PDB file of all heavy atoms in Angstrom:
ATOM      1  N   PRO A 623     118.297 -59.679 -61.879  1.00 97.00           N
ATOM      2  CA  PRO A 623     119.606 -60.088 -61.362  1.00 97.00           C
ATOM      3  C   PRO A 623     120.370 -60.902 -62.485  1.00 97.00           C
ATOM      4  O   PRO A 623     119.745 -61.467 -63.357  1.00 97.00           O
ATOM      5  CB  PRO A 623     119.215 -60.990 -60.171  1.00 97.00           C
ATOM      6  CG  PRO A 623     117.846 -60.587 -59.851  1.00 97.00           C
ATOM      7  CD  PRO A 623     117.156 -60.202 -61.153  1.00 97.00           C
ATOM      8  N   PRO A 624     121.633 -61.110 -62.258  1.00 95.00           N
ATOM      9  CA  PRO A 624     122.429 -61.853 -63.327  1.00 95.00           C
ATOM     10  C   PRO A 624     121.860 -63.279 -63.412  1.00 95.00           C
ATOM     11  O   PRO A 624     121.726 -63.985 -62.450  1.00 95.00           O
ATOM     12  CB  PRO A 624     123.815 -61.840 -62.716  1.00 95.00           C
ATOM     13  CG  PRO A 624     123.871 -60.633 -61.854  1.00 95.00           C
ATOM     14  CD  PRO A 624     122.450 -60.469 -61.268  1.00 95.00           C
ATOM     15  N   GLY A 625     121.577 -63.644 -64.662  1.00 96.00           N
ATOM     16  CA  GLY A 625     121.123 -65.015 -64.994  1.00 96.00           C
ATOM     17  C   GLY A 625     119.697 -65.370 -64.539  1.00 96.00           C
ATOM     18  O   GLY A 625     119.284 -66.455 -64.585  1.00 96.00           O
ATOM     19  N   LYS A 626     118.942 -64.261 -64.135  1.00 97.00           N
ATOM     20  CA  LYS A 626     117.548 -64.565 -63.687  1.00 97.00           C
ATOM     21  C   LYS A 626     116.659 -63.666 -64.466  1.00 97.00           C
ATOM     22  O   LYS A 626     116.992 -62.852 -65.277  1.00 97.00           O
ATOM     23  CB  LYS A 626     117.415 -64.239 -62.189  1.00 97.00           C
ATOM     24  CG  LYS A 626     118.336 -65.116 -61.390  1.00 97.00           C
ATOM     25  CD  LYS A 626     118.056 -64.825 -59.861  1.00 97.00           C
ATOM     26  CE  LYS A 626     118.889 -65.703 -58.971  1.00 97.00           C
ATOM     27  NZ  LYS A 626     118.664 -65.411 -57.477  1.00 97.00           N
ATOM     28  N   GLN A 627     115.322 -63.957 -64.205  1.00 97.00           N
ATOM     29  CA  GLN A 627     114.252 -63.195 -64.938  1.00 97.00           C
ATOM     30  C   GLN A 627     114.021 -61.825 -64.267  1.00 97.00           C
ATOM     31  O   GLN A 627     114.286 -61.636 -63.084  1.00 97.00           O
ATOM     32  CB  GLN A 627     112.974 -63.959 -65.014  1.00 97.00           C
ATOM     33  CG  GLN A 627     113.078 -65.246 -65.890  1.00 97.00           C
ATOM     34  CD  GLN A 627     111.737 -65.940 -66.016  1.00 97.00           C
ATOM     35  OE1 GLN A 627     110.898 -65.823 -65.104  1.00 97.00           O
ATOM     36  NE2 GLN A 627     111.545 -66.605 -67.099  1.00 97.00           N
ATOM     37  N   ARG A 628     113.441 -60.927 -65.029  1.00 97.00           N
ATOM     38  CA  ARG A 628     113.075 -59.664 -64.504  1.00 97.00           C
ATOM     39  C   ARG A 628     111.949 -59.826 -63.472  1.00 97.00           C
ATOM     40  O   ARG A 628     110.997 -60.619 -63.719  1.00 97.00           O
ATOM     41  CB  ARG A 628     112.647 -58.696 -65.655  1.00 97.00           C
ATOM     42  CG  ARG A 628     112.559 -57.287 -65.250  1.00 97.00           C
ATOM     43  CD  ARG A 628     112.230 -56.364 -66.433  1.00 97.00           C
ATOM     44  NE  ARG A 628     113.333 -56.476 -67.472  1.00 97.00           N
ATOM     45  CZ  ARG A 628     113.341 -55.629 -68.496  1.00 97.00           C
ATOM     46  NH1 ARG A 628     112.417 -54.817 -68.680  1.00 97.00           N
ATOM     47  NH2 ARG A 628     114.378 -55.707 -69.403  1.00 97.00           N
ATOM     48  N   GLU A 629     112.039 -59.106 -62.419  1.00 98.00           N
ATOM     49  CA  GLU A 629     111.047 -59.145 -61.346  1.00 98.00           C
ATOM     50  C   GLU A 629     110.683 -57.758 -60.811  1.00 98.00           C
ATOM     51  O   GLU A 629     111.421 -56.880 -60.943  1.00 98.00           O
ATOM     52  CB  GLU A 629     111.606 -60.015 -60.137  1.00 98.00           C
ATOM     53  CG  GLU A 629     112.845 -59.339 -59.533  1.00 98.00           C
ATOM     54  CD  GLU A 629     113.498 -60.250 -58.415  1.00 98.00           C
ATOM     55  OE1 GLU A 629     113.130 -61.397 -58.288  1.00 98.00           O
ATOM     56  OE2 GLU A 629     114.249 -59.659 -57.627  1.00 98.00           O
ATOM     57  N   LEU A 630     109.401 -57.647 -60.368  1.00 98.00           N
ATOM     58  CA  LEU A 630     108.881 -56.457 -59.836  1.00 98.00           C
ATOM     59  C   LEU A 630     109.567 -56.053 -58.489  1.00 98.00           C
ATOM     60  O   LEU A 630     109.649 -56.932 -57.678  1.00 98.00           O
ATOM     61  CB  LEU A 630     107.386 -56.555 -59.667  1.00 98.00           C
ATOM     62  CG  LEU A 630     106.729 -55.316 -59.043  1.00 98.00           C
ATOM     63  CD1 LEU A 630     106.781 -54.089 -59.868  1.00 98.00           C
ATOM     64  CD2 LEU A 630     105.280 -55.632 -58.610  1.00 98.00           C
ATOM     65  N   VAL A 631     109.922 -54.922 -58.328  1.00 98.00           N
ATOM     66  CA  VAL A 631     110.519 -54.379 -57.034  1.00 98.00           C
ATOM     67  C   VAL A 631     109.431 -53.666 -56.338  1.00 98.00           C
ATOM     68  O   VAL A 631     109.233 -53.812 -55.129  1.00 98.00           O
ATOM     69  CB  VAL A 631     111.782 -53.527 -57.326  1.00 98.00           C
ATOM     70  CG1 VAL A 631     112.329 -52.967 -55.970  1.00 98.00           C
ATOM     71  CG2 VAL A 631     112.865 -54.344 -57.957  1.00 98.00           C
ATOM     72  N   ALA A 632     108.892 -52.681 -56.998  1.00 98.00           N
ATOM     73  CA  ALA A 632     107.889 -51.749 -56.385  1.00 98.00           C
ATOM     74  C   ALA A 632     107.142 -51.012 -57.497  1.00 98.00           C
ATOM     75  O   ALA A 632     107.718 -50.807 -58.502  1.00 98.00           O
ATOM     76  CB  ALA A 632     108.474 -50.749 -55.355  1.00 98.00           C
ATOM     77  N   PHE A 633     105.887 -50.670 -57.175  1.00 96.00           N
ATOM     78  CA  PHE A 633     105.185 -49.796 -58.071  1.00 96.00           C
ATOM     79  C   PHE A 633     104.411 -48.768 -57.342  1.00 96.00           C
ATOM     80  O   PHE A 633     104.070 -48.951 -56.114  1.00 96.00           O
ATOM     81  CB  PHE A 633     104.352 -50.603 -59.056  1.00 96.00           C
ATOM     82  CG  PHE A 633     103.051 -51.197 -58.514  1.00 96.00           C
ATOM     83  CD1 PHE A 633     101.875 -50.312 -58.290  1.00 96.00           C
ATOM     84  CD2 PHE A 633     103.001 -52.503 -58.176  1.00 96.00           C
ATOM     85  CE1 PHE A 633     100.672 -50.917 -57.820  1.00 96.00           C
ATOM     86  CE2 PHE A 633     101.808 -53.048 -57.720  1.00 96.00           C
ATOM     87  CZ  PHE A 633     100.729 -52.269 -57.495  1.00 96.00           C
ATOM     88  N   ILE A 634     104.062 -47.732 -58.000  1.00 96.00           N
ATOM     89  CA  ILE A 634     103.146 -46.671 -57.428  1.00 96.00           C
ATOM     90  C   ILE A 634     102.148 -46.288 -58.435  1.00 96.00           C
ATOM     91  O   ILE A 634     102.566 -46.017 -59.587  1.00 96.00           O
ATOM     92  CB  ILE A 634     104.028 -45.470 -56.964  1.00 96.00           C
ATOM     93  CG1 ILE A 634     103.136 -44.381 -56.299  1.00 96.00           C
ATOM     94  CG2 ILE A 634     104.886 -44.924 -58.064  1.00 96.00           C
ATOM     95  CD1 ILE A 634     103.915 -43.328 -55.504  1.00 96.00           C
ATOM     96  N   ALA A 635     100.927 -46.290 -58.112  1.00 92.00           N
ATOM     97  CA  ALA A 635      99.753 -46.000 -58.951  1.00 92.00           C
ATOM     98  C   ALA A 635      98.885 -45.009 -58.229  1.00 92.00           C
ATOM     99  O   ALA A 635      98.246 -45.486 -57.193  1.00 92.00           O
ATOM    100  CB  ALA A 635      99.013 -47.161 -59.391  1.00 92.00           C
ATOM    101  N   VAL A 636      98.830 -43.749 -58.593  1.00 81.00           N
ATOM    102  CA  VAL A 636      98.131 -42.741 -57.844  1.00 81.00           C
ATOM    103  C   VAL A 636      98.694 -42.700 -56.505  1.00 81.00           C
ATOM    104  O   VAL A 636      99.809 -42.197 -56.445  1.00 81.00           O
ATOM    105  CB  VAL A 636      96.603 -43.038 -57.807  1.00 81.00           C
ATOM    106  CG1 VAL A 636      95.833 -41.750 -57.302  1.00 81.00           C
ATOM    107  CG2 VAL A 636      96.048 -43.347 -59.149  1.00 81.00           C
ATOM    108  N   VAL A 637      98.101 -43.089 -55.399  1.00 80.00           N
ATOM    109  CA  VAL A 637      98.698 -42.937 -54.118  1.00 80.00           C
ATOM    110  C   VAL A 637      98.921 -44.362 -53.585  1.00 80.00           C
ATOM    111  O   VAL A 637      99.440 -44.490 -52.454  1.00 80.00           O
ATOM    112  CB  VAL A 637      97.756 -42.305 -53.118  1.00 80.00           C
ATOM    113  CG1 VAL A 637      97.576 -40.801 -53.510  1.00 80.00           C
ATOM    114  CG2 VAL A 637      96.383 -42.999 -52.982  1.00 80.00           C
ATOM    115  N   ASN A 638      98.669 -45.381 -54.306  1.00 92.00           N
ATOM    116  CA  ASN A 638      98.912 -46.730 -53.923  1.00 92.00           C
ATOM    117  C   ASN A 638     100.338 -47.249 -54.276  1.00 92.00           C
ATOM    118  O   ASN A 638     100.812 -46.998 -55.338  1.00 92.00           O
ATOM    119  CB  ASN A 638      97.935 -47.705 -54.555  1.00 92.00           C
ATOM    120  CG  ASN A 638      96.486 -47.379 -54.114  1.00 92.00           C
ATOM    121  OD1 ASN A 638      96.208 -47.123 -52.931  1.00 92.00           O
ATOM    122  ND2 ASN A 638      95.537 -47.360 -55.035  1.00 92.00           N
ATOM    123  N   THR A 639     100.934 -47.954 -53.334  1.00 95.00           N
ATOM    124  CA  THR A 639     102.253 -48.497 -53.453  1.00 95.00           C
ATOM    125  C   THR A 639     102.250 -50.009 -53.186  1.00 95.00           C
ATOM    126  O   THR A 639     101.443 -50.458 -52.361  1.00 95.00           O
ATOM    127  CB  THR A 639     103.332 -47.803 -52.637  1.00 95.00           C
ATOM    128  OG1 THR A 639     102.970 -47.853 -51.264  1.00 95.00           O
ATOM    129  CG2 THR A 639     103.509 -46.330 -53.005  1.00 95.00           C
ATOM    130  N   ASN A 640     103.166 -50.670 -53.769  1.00 96.00           N
ATOM    131  CA  ASN A 640     103.262 -52.118 -53.523  1.00 96.00           C
ATOM    132  C   ASN A 640     104.746 -52.463 -53.688  1.00 96.00           C
ATOM    133  O   ASN A 640     105.475 -51.965 -54.561  1.00 96.00           O
ATOM    134  CB  ASN A 640     102.425 -52.905 -54.392  1.00 96.00           C
ATOM    135  CG  ASN A 640     102.267 -54.325 -53.905  1.00 96.00           C
ATOM    136  OD1 ASN A 640     102.242 -54.647 -52.694  1.00 96.00           O
ATOM    137  ND2 ASN A 640     102.133 -55.250 -54.858  1.00 96.00           N
ATOM    138  N   TYR A 641     105.181 -53.430 -52.817  1.00 98.00           N
ATOM    139  CA  TYR A 641     106.666 -53.830 -52.791  1.00 98.00           C
ATOM    140  C   TYR A 641     106.679 -55.332 -52.842  1.00 98.00           C
ATOM    141  O   TYR A 641     105.938 -56.057 -52.284  1.00 98.00           O
ATOM    142  CB  TYR A 641     107.355 -53.314 -51.470  1.00 98.00           C
ATOM    143  CG  TYR A 641     107.335 -51.787 -51.356  1.00 98.00           C
ATOM    144  CD1 TYR A 641     106.314 -51.124 -50.749  1.00 98.00           C
ATOM    145  CD2 TYR A 641     108.441 -51.119 -51.819  1.00 98.00           C
ATOM    146  CE1 TYR A 641     106.385 -49.700 -50.651  1.00 98.00           C
ATOM    147  CE2 TYR A 641     108.497 -49.747 -51.754  1.00 98.00           C
ATOM    148  CZ  TYR A 641     107.459 -49.074 -51.146  1.00 98.00           C
ATOM    149  OH  TYR A 641     107.507 -47.688 -51.043  1.00 98.00           O
ATOM    150  N   ALA A 642     107.829 -55.738 -53.446  1.00 98.00           N
ATOM    151  CA  ALA A 642     108.143 -57.209 -53.345  1.00 98.00           C
ATOM    152  C   ALA A 642     108.530 -57.485 -51.873  1.00 98.00           C
ATOM    153  O   ALA A 642     109.119 -56.606 -51.172  1.00 98.00           O
ATOM    154  CB  ALA A 642     109.374 -57.455 -54.242  1.00 98.00           C
ATOM    155  N   ASP A 643     108.233 -58.638 -51.481  1.00 98.00           N
ATOM    156  CA  ASP A 643     108.522 -59.027 -50.041  1.00 98.00           C
ATOM    157  C   ASP A 643     109.976 -58.864 -49.692  1.00 98.00           C
ATOM    158  O   ASP A 643     110.371 -58.524 -48.632  1.00 98.00           O
ATOM    159  CB  ASP A 643     108.099 -60.515 -49.798  1.00 98.00           C
ATOM    160  CG  ASP A 643     106.576 -60.662 -49.741  1.00 98.00           C
ATOM    161  OD1 ASP A 643     105.862 -59.544 -49.620  1.00 98.00           O
ATOM    162  OD2 ASP A 643     106.149 -61.819 -49.829  1.00 98.00           O
ATOM    163  N   SER A 644     110.866 -59.149 -50.663  1.00 97.00           N
ATOM    164  CA  SER A 644     112.339 -59.168 -50.551  1.00 97.00           C
ATOM    165  C   SER A 644     112.821 -57.640 -50.127  1.00 97.00           C
ATOM    166  O   SER A 644     113.988 -57.605 -49.682  1.00 97.00           O
ATOM    167  CB  SER A 644     113.029 -59.765 -51.635  1.00 97.00           C
ATOM    168  OG  SER A 644     112.774 -58.970 -52.860  1.00 97.00           O
ATOM    169  N   VAL A 645     112.036 -56.634 -50.537  1.00 98.00           N
ATOM    170  CA  VAL A 645     112.531 -55.367 -50.328  1.00 98.00           C
ATOM    171  C   VAL A 645     111.700 -54.475 -49.268  1.00 98.00           C
ATOM    172  O   VAL A 645     112.058 -53.393 -48.986  1.00 98.00           O
ATOM    173  CB  VAL A 645     112.652 -54.566 -51.633  1.00 98.00           C
ATOM    174  CG1 VAL A 645     113.399 -55.352 -52.640  1.00 98.00           C
ATOM    175  CG2 VAL A 645     111.256 -54.177 -52.166  1.00 98.00           C
ATOM    176  N   LYS A 646     110.677 -55.082 -48.752  1.00 98.00           N
ATOM    177  CA  LYS A 646     109.767 -54.324 -47.858  1.00 98.00           C
ATOM    178  C   LYS A 646     110.593 -53.899 -46.621  1.00 98.00           C
ATOM    179  O   LYS A 646     111.385 -54.753 -46.087  1.00 98.00           O
ATOM    180  CB  LYS A 646     108.564 -55.280 -47.501  1.00 98.00           C
ATOM    181  CG  LYS A 646     107.530 -55.312 -48.455  1.00 98.00           C
ATOM    182  CD  LYS A 646     106.328 -56.205 -47.941  1.00 98.00           C
ATOM    183  CE  LYS A 646     105.249 -56.362 -48.955  1.00 98.00           C
ATOM    184  NZ  LYS A 646     104.145 -57.243 -48.559  1.00 98.00           N
ATOM    185  N   GLY A 647     110.393 -52.680 -46.279  1.00 97.00           N
ATOM    186  CA  GLY A 647     111.102 -52.185 -45.129  1.00 97.00           C
ATOM    187  C   GLY A 647     112.445 -51.589 -45.335  1.00 97.00           C
ATOM    188  O   GLY A 647     113.113 -50.975 -44.554  1.00 97.00           O
ATOM    189  N   ARG A 648     112.998 -51.920 -46.606  1.00 98.00           N
ATOM    190  CA  ARG A 648     114.274 -51.394 -47.001  1.00 98.00           C
ATOM    191  C   ARG A 648     114.265 -50.323 -48.159  1.00 98.00           C
ATOM    192  O   ARG A 648     115.029 -49.534 -48.174  1.00 98.00           O
ATOM    193  CB  ARG A 648     115.191 -52.565 -47.396  1.00 98.00           C
ATOM    194  CG  ARG A 648     115.375 -53.574 -46.370  1.00 98.00           C
ATOM    195  CD  ARG A 648     116.534 -54.572 -46.712  1.00 98.00           C
ATOM    196  NE  ARG A 648     116.086 -55.411 -47.874  1.00 98.00           N
ATOM    197  CZ  ARG A 648     116.835 -55.433 -49.015  1.00 98.00           C
ATOM    198  NH1 ARG A 648     117.886 -54.733 -49.078  1.00 98.00           N
ATOM    199  NH2 ARG A 648     116.429 -56.143 -49.989  1.00 98.00           N
ATOM    200  N   PHE A 649     113.275 -50.617 -49.074  1.00 98.00           N
ATOM    201  CA  PHE A 649     113.172 -49.748 -50.235  1.00 98.00           C
ATOM    202  C   PHE A 649     111.877 -48.921 -50.104  1.00 98.00           C
ATOM    203  O   PHE A 649     110.898 -49.346 -49.620  1.00 98.00           O
ATOM    204  CB  PHE A 649     113.067 -50.637 -51.508  1.00 98.00           C
ATOM    205  CG  PHE A 649     114.309 -51.330 -51.877  1.00 98.00           C
ATOM    206  CD1 PHE A 649     115.433 -51.476 -51.032  1.00 98.00           C
ATOM    207  CD2 PHE A 649     114.421 -51.895 -53.146  1.00 98.00           C
ATOM    208  CE1 PHE A 649     116.635 -52.065 -51.406  1.00 98.00           C
ATOM    209  CE2 PHE A 649     115.532 -52.585 -53.583  1.00 98.00           C
ATOM    210  CZ  PHE A 649     116.641 -52.581 -52.648  1.00 98.00           C
ATOM    211  N   THR A 650     111.867 -47.666 -50.668  1.00 98.00           N
ATOM    212  CA  THR A 650     110.811 -46.796 -50.719  1.00 98.00           C
ATOM    213  C   THR A 650     110.664 -46.165 -52.034  1.00 98.00           C
ATOM    214  O   THR A 650     111.640 -45.661 -52.615  1.00 98.00           O
ATOM    215  CB  THR A 650     110.932 -45.728 -49.678  1.00 98.00           C
ATOM    216  OG1 THR A 650     111.132 -46.239 -48.365  1.00 98.00           O
ATOM    217  CG2 THR A 650     109.729 -44.780 -49.680  1.00 98.00           C
ATOM    218  N   ILE A 651     109.459 -46.409 -52.656  1.00 97.00           N
ATOM    219  CA  ILE A 651     109.190 -45.770 -53.911  1.00 97.00           C
ATOM    220  C   ILE A 651     108.378 -44.521 -53.688  1.00 97.00           C
ATOM    221  O   ILE A 651     107.523 -44.466 -52.970  1.00 97.00           O
ATOM    222  CB  ILE A 651     108.423 -46.801 -54.893  1.00 97.00           C
ATOM    223  CG1 ILE A 651     108.397 -46.169 -56.340  1.00 97.00           C
ATOM    224  CG2 ILE A 651     107.079 -47.104 -54.363  1.00 97.00           C
ATOM    225  CD1 ILE A 651     107.865 -47.218 -57.384  1.00 97.00           C
ATOM    226  N   SER A 652     108.695 -43.476 -54.589  1.00 96.00           N
ATOM    227  CA  SER A 652     107.908 -42.303 -54.484  1.00 96.00           C
ATOM    228  C   SER A 652     107.850 -41.648 -55.885  1.00 96.00           C
ATOM    229  O   SER A 652     108.728 -41.855 -56.703  1.00 96.00           O
ATOM    230  CB  SER A 652     108.554 -41.260 -53.466  1.00 96.00           C
ATOM    231  OG  SER A 652     109.840 -40.960 -53.791  1.00 96.00           O
ATOM    232  N   ARG A 653     106.925 -40.736 -56.016  1.00 95.00           N
ATOM    233  CA  ARG A 653     106.779 -40.062 -57.297  1.00 95.00           C
ATOM    234  C   ARG A 653     106.438 -38.633 -57.109  1.00 95.00           C
ATOM    235  O   ARG A 653     105.666 -38.249 -56.225  1.00 95.00           O
ATOM    236  CB  ARG A 653     105.596 -40.733 -58.109  1.00 95.00           C
ATOM    237  CG  ARG A 653     105.399 -40.108 -59.514  1.00 95.00           C
ATOM    238  CD  ARG A 653     104.311 -40.812 -60.275  1.00 95.00           C
ATOM    239  NE  ARG A 653     103.990 -40.059 -61.485  1.00 95.00           N
ATOM    240  CZ  ARG A 653     103.016 -40.357 -62.273  1.00 95.00           C
ATOM    241  NH1 ARG A 653     102.183 -41.413 -62.044  1.00 95.00           N
ATOM    242  NH2 ARG A 653     102.836 -39.739 -63.383  1.00 95.00           N
ATOM    243  N   ASP A 654     107.113 -37.756 -57.821  1.00 93.00           N
ATOM    244  CA  ASP A 654     106.858 -36.380 -57.872  1.00 93.00           C
ATOM    245  C   ASP A 654     106.779 -35.935 -59.350  1.00 93.00           C
ATOM    246  O   ASP A 654     107.747 -35.838 -60.030  1.00 93.00           O
ATOM    247  CB  ASP A 654     108.033 -35.633 -57.196  1.00 93.00           C
ATOM    248  CG  ASP A 654     107.795 -34.163 -57.208  1.00 93.00           C
ATOM    249  OD1 ASP A 654     106.680 -33.709 -57.439  1.00 93.00           O
ATOM    250  OD2 ASP A 654     108.753 -33.329 -56.868  1.00 93.00           O
ATOM    251  N   LYS A 655     105.561 -35.758 -59.769  1.00 91.00           N
ATOM    252  CA  LYS A 655     105.163 -35.432 -61.143  1.00 91.00           C
ATOM    253  C   LYS A 655     105.756 -36.499 -62.098  1.00 91.00           C
ATOM    254  O   LYS A 655     105.379 -37.548 -62.089  1.00 91.00           O
ATOM    255  CB  LYS A 655     105.709 -33.984 -61.428  1.00 91.00           C
ATOM    256  CG  LYS A 655     105.065 -32.817 -60.611  1.00 91.00           C
ATOM    257  CD  LYS A 655     105.543 -31.461 -60.977  1.00 91.00           C
ATOM    258  CE  LYS A 655     104.883 -30.446 -60.176  1.00 91.00           C
ATOM    259  NZ  LYS A 655     105.352 -29.110 -60.477  1.00 91.00           N
ATOM    260  N   ASN A 656     106.747 -36.046 -62.902  1.00 94.00           N
ATOM    261  CA  ASN A 656     107.226 -37.020 -63.937  1.00 94.00           C
ATOM    262  C   ASN A 656     108.478 -37.747 -63.510  1.00 94.00           C
ATOM    263  O   ASN A 656     109.197 -38.365 -64.316  1.00 94.00           O
ATOM    264  CB  ASN A 656     107.513 -36.227 -65.143  1.00 94.00           C
ATOM    265  CG  ASN A 656     106.299 -35.682 -65.733  1.00 94.00           C
ATOM    266  OD1 ASN A 656     105.252 -36.173 -65.623  1.00 94.00           O
ATOM    267  ND2 ASN A 656     106.386 -34.486 -66.362  1.00 94.00           N
ATOM    268  N   THR A 657     108.834 -37.791 -62.246  1.00 96.00           N
ATOM    269  CA  THR A 657     109.991 -38.461 -61.692  1.00 96.00           C
ATOM    270  C   THR A 657     109.572 -39.437 -60.714  1.00 96.00           C
ATOM    271  O   THR A 657     108.845 -39.147 -59.688  1.00 96.00           O
ATOM    272  CB  THR A 657     111.003 -37.396 -61.068  1.00 96.00           C
ATOM    273  OG1 THR A 657     111.472 -36.503 -62.041  1.00 96.00           O
ATOM    274  CG2 THR A 657     112.149 -38.195 -60.509  1.00 96.00           C
ATOM    275  N   VAL A 658     110.027 -40.693 -60.824  1.00 97.00           N
ATOM    276  CA  VAL A 658     109.861 -41.751 -59.840  1.00 97.00           C
ATOM    277  C   VAL A 658     111.229 -42.121 -59.198  1.00 97.00           C
ATOM    278  O   VAL A 658     112.168 -42.234 -59.915  1.00 97.00           O
ATOM    279  CB  VAL A 658     109.126 -42.969 -60.456  1.00 97.00           C
ATOM    280  CG1 VAL A 658     109.952 -43.684 -61.439  1.00 97.00           C
ATOM    281  CG2 VAL A 658     108.740 -43.942 -59.262  1.00 97.00           C
ATOM    282  N   THR A 659     111.241 -42.293 -57.923  1.00 98.00           N
ATOM    283  CA  THR A 659     112.472 -42.449 -57.178  1.00 98.00           C
ATOM    284  C   THR A 659     112.325 -43.769 -56.384  1.00 98.00           C
ATOM    285  O   THR A 659     111.335 -44.048 -55.887  1.00 98.00           O
ATOM    286  CB  THR A 659     112.742 -41.315 -56.212  1.00 98.00           C
ATOM    287  OG1 THR A 659     112.888 -40.089 -57.030  1.00 98.00           O
ATOM    288  CG2 THR A 659     114.030 -41.436 -55.482  1.00 98.00           C
ATOM    289  N   LEU A 660     113.446 -44.404 -56.292  1.00 98.00           N
ATOM    290  CA  LEU A 660     113.532 -45.684 -55.451  1.00 98.00           C
ATOM    291  C   LEU A 660     114.706 -45.413 -54.486  1.00 98.00           C
ATOM    292  O   LEU A 660     115.890 -45.469 -54.913  1.00 98.00           O
ATOM    293  CB  LEU A 660     113.795 -46.889 -56.282  1.00 98.00           C
ATOM    294  CG  LEU A 660     113.743 -48.230 -55.490  1.00 98.00           C
ATOM    295  CD1 LEU A 660     112.323 -48.502 -55.039  1.00 98.00           C
ATOM    296  CD2 LEU A 660     114.256 -49.377 -56.400  1.00 98.00           C
ATOM    297  N   GLN A 661     114.343 -45.281 -53.283  1.00 98.00           N
ATOM    298  CA  GLN A 661     115.387 -45.185 -52.221  1.00 98.00           C
ATOM    299  C   GLN A 661     115.673 -46.477 -51.706  1.00 98.00           C
ATOM    300  O   GLN A 661     114.694 -47.191 -51.155  1.00 98.00           O
ATOM    301  CB  GLN A 661     114.877 -44.276 -51.099  1.00 98.00           C
ATOM    302  CG  GLN A 661     115.831 -44.103 -49.889  1.00 98.00           C
ATOM    303  CD  GLN A 661     117.131 -43.442 -50.272  1.00 98.00           C
ATOM    304  OE1 GLN A 661     117.169 -42.385 -50.950  1.00 98.00           O
ATOM    305  NE2 GLN A 661     118.214 -43.929 -49.832  1.00 98.00           N
ATOM    306  N   MET A 662     116.890 -46.957 -51.791  1.00 98.00           N
ATOM    307  CA  MET A 662     117.266 -48.308 -51.328  1.00 98.00           C
ATOM    308  C   MET A 662     118.243 -48.270 -50.188  1.00 98.00           C
ATOM    309  O   MET A 662     119.404 -47.678 -50.344  1.00 98.00           O
ATOM    310  CB  MET A 662     117.919 -49.030 -52.518  1.00 98.00           C
ATOM    311  CG  MET A 662     117.073 -49.029 -53.861  1.00 98.00           C
ATOM    312  SD  MET A 662     117.702 -50.057 -55.171  1.00 98.00           S
ATOM    313  CE  MET A 662     119.278 -49.150 -55.559  1.00 98.00           C
ATOM    314  N   ASN A 663     117.788 -48.700 -49.069  1.00 98.00           N
ATOM    315  CA  ASN A 663     118.631 -48.757 -47.871  1.00 98.00           C
ATOM    316  C   ASN A 663     118.911 -50.225 -47.448  1.00 98.00           C
ATOM    317  O   ASN A 663     118.294 -51.165 -47.949  1.00 98.00           O
ATOM    318  CB  ASN A 663     117.954 -48.090 -46.750  1.00 98.00           C
ATOM    319  CG  ASN A 663     117.589 -46.631 -47.042  1.00 98.00           C
ATOM    320  OD1 ASN A 663     118.375 -45.973 -47.698  1.00 98.00           O
ATOM    321  ND2 ASN A 663     116.551 -46.082 -46.463  1.00 98.00           N
ATOM    322  N   SER A 664     119.967 -50.390 -46.621  1.00 98.00           N
ATOM    323  CA  SER A 664     120.363 -51.711 -46.116  1.00 98.00           C
ATOM    324  C   SER A 664     120.466 -52.621 -47.254  1.00 98.00           C
ATOM    325  O   SER A 664     119.959 -53.808 -47.179  1.00 98.00           O
ATOM    326  CB  SER A 664     119.253 -52.166 -45.120  1.00 98.00           C
ATOM    327  OG  SER A 664     119.143 -51.265 -43.998  1.00 98.00           O
ATOM    328  N   LEU A 665     121.290 -52.265 -48.312  1.00 98.00           N
ATOM    329  CA  LEU A 665     121.376 -53.063 -49.483  1.00 98.00           C
ATOM    330  C   LEU A 665     122.196 -54.375 -49.140  1.00 98.00           C
ATOM    331  O   LEU A 665     123.028 -54.407 -48.264  1.00 98.00           O
ATOM    332  CB  LEU A 665     122.146 -52.356 -50.588  1.00 98.00           C
ATOM    333  CG  LEU A 665     121.256 -51.306 -51.223  1.00 98.00           C
ATOM    334  CD1 LEU A 665     122.064 -50.287 -51.882  1.00 98.00           C
ATOM    335  CD2 LEU A 665     120.309 -52.007 -52.188  1.00 98.00           C
ATOM    336  N   LYS A 666     121.789 -55.412 -49.900  1.00 98.00           N
ATOM    337  CA  LYS A 666     122.347 -56.764 -49.760  1.00 98.00           C
ATOM    338  C   LYS A 666     122.976 -57.136 -51.039  1.00 98.00           C
ATOM    339  O   LYS A 666     122.523 -56.703 -52.087  1.00 98.00           O
ATOM    340  CB  LYS A 666     121.240 -57.730 -49.294  1.00 98.00           C
ATOM    341  CG  LYS A 666     120.486 -57.358 -48.043  1.00 98.00           C
ATOM    342  CD  LYS A 666     119.356 -58.342 -47.792  1.00 98.00           C
ATOM    343  CE  LYS A 666     118.609 -58.074 -46.565  1.00 98.00           C
ATOM    344  NZ  LYS A 666     117.464 -58.984 -46.311  1.00 98.00           N
TER     345      LYS A 666
END
């Protein structure tokens, strides 16, 4: 974010995913071969 440090949003490793508390339930990470996608809903 502007003026702030870089922070983790979400990661995917094999089949495991993890999300920052601030985006849980709103963002979804997925991976298909060499493409990783972040679907962001209910943006604030």
Side-chain angles (χ1 to χ4, degrees):
K626 296 185 179 180
Q627 291 188 333
R628 192 174 298 189
E629 61 186 15
L630 175 67
V631 175
F633 74 80
I634 183 166
V636 191
V637 295
N638 297 316
T639 59
N640 194 31
Y641 296 89
D643 288 342
S644 59
V645 306
K646 281 181 181 176
R648 300 188 297 122
F649 291 11
T650 302
I651 190 170
S652 59
R653 180 180 174 184
D654 181 13
K655 295 182 181 179
N656 298 328
T657 300
V658 64
T659 299
L660 186 69
Q661 177 66 43
M662 305 187 295
N663 299 327
S664 302
L665 283 161
K666 305 176 181 180

